[in-house]
Amino acid sequence: MAGQEQIRPSQGQLTAEGPGGPEGTSAQIAARKASLDADIDAVLADIDEVLEANAEEFVRGFVQKGGQ
């Protein structure tokens, strides 16, 4: 895909900061993971809703036409 960049967070952004040090306690890490899992589930549920409502239009967007 031309013109698109993939941005990856640096290792420092992946760790949970807190009183337990840069890595945090395992309870903090587990809470952060649970929070991120819930956020991901919410996004996937939104995508699923859109696809249920507009599946035909979504698929048409990926069908090649002619010599494209």
Side-chain angles (χ1 to χ4, degrees):
M1 289 184 218
Q4 292 185 355
E5 293 182 20
Q6 186 174 17
I7 300 172
R8 295 184 182 201
S10 67
Q11 192 68 353
Q13 292 173 323
L14 294 176
T15 60
E17 297 287 335
E23 287 130 15
T25 65
S26 46
Q28 289 172 327
I29 293 171
R32 174 103 169 118
K33 181 186 179 309
S35 173
L36 291 174
D37 286 347
D39 290 345
I40 290 170
D41 287 344
V43 169
L44 291 175
D46 288 344
I47 291 170
D48 193 40
E49 282 181 34
V50 170
L51 289 179
E52 285 177 9
N54 301 317
E56 186 177 342
E57 181 181 333
F58 180 80
V59 171
R60 251 190 255 140
F62 286 98
V63 174
Q64 288 187 343
K65 298 175 184 171
Q68 293 181 342

